[in-house]
Amino acid sequence: MRQITDSILMIRPVAFRMNEETAVNNYFQKGTAAANDEITQKAQFEFDTFVSKLRKVGVNVIVVDDILENDTPDSIFPNNWIFFHQNGDVALYPMFAENRRRERREDVLDTLEQEGFLINTIFDYTKAEEEGVFLEGTGNLIIDRVNAKAYCALSPRANEELLIEFCEDFELFPVIFHAYQSVEEERKLIYHTNVMMCLADDFAVICLDTIDDKKERKLVISSLKEDNKEIIAINESQMHAFAGNMLQVEGAFGKKYLVMSTTAYNALTKEQVDKITAHCEILHSDISTIETLGGGSARCMMAEVFLPKKDN
């Protein structure tokens, strides 16, 4: 079992904008007065620069264009609707926002098969949408593949029963807690776990301050320590700069990189950077338009492809 991969699926935006349907519980999103065409052009430039940086260090980035007619402003965040397992299994997830459900596309799976990846069973959880039940992929699920665990902060987008069903299907142990952020002096549930927690092969970047319940915080810390993960703590202000929304990937010659936005990188202290770089290099890119309007950052843009190759 591998914790990180060298293959990433990314969706290039064609009509990116702030999604009004997700803003109701994504408190990271911020609006702008800029015209939609200008926003899309900026997002495309940021996306292309980001992809170029990943490819330059040897990451296999599979880029699929969004479809204009679908009107899917958040398509740039594919990790919320699809999950790839090392045995060839795929999961399709139920999405909170109705316009995000149009992001699910069979042709994306066709593209991966054309790239030489093997797809076996598809676990389709999308029927849960009819009951108003959601689980938004590796936005909600921080998967420890080596130790067979799934960390999940429950929220309107992460249903506990569906989480347990997913964990049973994929033979994972659920580590369940609640994470909060301060919004106008109120503590509100964080919409996705992956904005407050990043799990790498031998360390975790996590905003423990968001886990208000002491027992739950202790549970998460104990679970990480049990698996010999170094805990690199960030504060809530750093989390709001997307310093929790990171992903470790593998480049050429097995070299490891922790990928993040430039906003996140600039929010880190020298001590935190030193702790991360003791494990791997940092790769960051400016995606400020995407993260400001989309309310998600570098990790959200990358769907890890762990599928086996057909010739293996």
Side-chain angles (χ1 to χ4, degrees):
M1 235 356 135
R2 294 175 297 142
Q3 179 60 26
I4 64 174
T5 181
D6 63 355
S7 294
I8 299 292
L9 168 71
M10 297 181 71
I11 307 293
R12 189 175 191 269
V14 294
F16 178 77
R17 67 174 191 277
M18 179 172 169
N19 187 350
E20 60 285 347
E21 290 188 24
T22 56
V24 295
N25 55 24
N26 178 345
Y27 307 112
F28 290 79
Q29 288 178 252
K30 295 179 179 67
T32 178
N36 284 347
D37 284 352
E38 183 188 343
I39 291 166
T40 294
Q41 285 176 3
K42 283 183 177 177
Q44 287 175 334
F45 176 78
E46 291 174 3
F47 179 93
D48 293 342
T49 304
F50 187 18
V51 170
S52 177
K53 286 186 178 184
L54 288 167
R55 285 176 171 165
K56 193 173 180 181
V57 298
V59 179
N60 174 30
V61 186
I62 300 140
V63 174
V64 177
D65 283 329
D66 187 17
I67 297 170
L68 184 63
E69 293 74 26
N70 284 356
D71 186 28
T72 44
D74 279 338
S75 61
I76 201 166
F77 304 131
N79 78 309
N80 299 144
W81 67 266
I82 197 161
F83 169 87
F84 305 105
H85 202 49
Q86 284 177 202
N87 63 1
D89 289 346
V90 173
L92 301 178
Y93 293 106
M95 308 284 281
F96 169 79
E98 287 187 25
N99 65 3
R100 292 212 63 188
R101 298 168 195 174
R102 297 193 292 270
E103 294 173 28
R104 297 190 293 255
R105 293 163 46 189
E106 278 187 33
D107 66 293
V108 170
L109 297 177
D110 295 339
T111 298
L112 289 168
E113 287 185 317
Q114 287 162 15
E115 291 282 334
F117 291 101
L118 183 67
I119 293 172
N120 291 323
T121 306
I122 295 177
F123 289 81
D124 189 343
Y125 302 100
T126 60
K127 287 266 188 218
E129 289 167 352
E130 295 168 14
E131 273 82 56
V133 168
F134 314 109
L135 186 66
E136 295 190 337
T138 51
N140 294 128
L141 301 159
I142 309 297
I143 310 288
D144 185 337
R145 294 169 187 267
V146 174
N147 297 295
K149 292 178 181 178
Y151 293 83
C152 182
L154 299 179
S155 76
R157 305 200 197 182
N159 175 269
E160 186 169 2
E161 284 181 26
L162 191 55
L163 160 67
I164 290 167
E165 182 184 336
F166 167 82
C167 287
E168 286 172 355
D169 289 341
F170 285 87
E171 298 180 348
L172 299 167
F173 177 81
V175 182
I176 301 169
F177 57 99
H178 297 79
Y180 298 86
Q181 65 189 119
S182 292
V183 182
E184 295 173 354
E185 298 182 10
E186 264 187 83
R187 295 298 274 171
K188 297 204 172 183
L189 288 167
I190 290 172
Y191 79 111
H192 280 165
T193 319
N194 76 1
V195 293
M196 55 75 64
M197 179 179 184
C198 156
L199 193 71
D201 55 356
D202 50 10
F203 66 97
V205 178
I206 183 169
C207 185
L208 294 167
D209 296 347
T210 63
I211 308 174
D212 291 355
D213 186 286
K214 289 180 181 178
K215 285 182 182 175
E216 291 185 347
R217 193 184 315 149
K218 189 175 179 182
L219 168 75
V220 172
I221 291 170
S222 298
S223 180
L224 291 169
K225 286 186 173 177
E226 177 182 280
D227 300 324
N228 298 313
K229 304 281 188 191
E230 181 186 358
I231 296 172
I232 302 172
I234 57 171
N235 61 37
E236 197 170 323
S237 172
Q238 291 174 313
M239 180 194 73
H240 279 281
F242 295 102
N245 196 245
M246 307 165 169
L247 181 69
Q248 191 180 39
V249 300
E250 188 179 307
F253 312 111
K255 196 166 184 179
K256 297 171 186 176
Y257 299 86
L258 189 64
V259 182
M260 64 188 75
S261 71
T262 299
T263 303
Y265 178 74
N266 289 337
L268 296 173
T269 65
K270 183 184 181 301
E271 183 185 8
Q272 289 165 332
V273 169
D274 288 346
K275 284 182 177 180
I276 292 167
T277 53
H279 296 281
C280 63
E281 281 194 32
I282 290 174
L283 187 154
H284 65 88
S285 195
D286 177 15
I287 49 172
S288 50
T289 303
I290 293 166
E291 59 192 358
T292 301
L293 291 166
S297 189
R299 194 277 168 266
C300 302
M301 294 169 66
M302 297 178 283
E304 303 146 280
V305 181
F306 283 92
L307 299 171
K309 284 283 196 174
K310 288 177 183 175
D311 55 357
N312 286 354

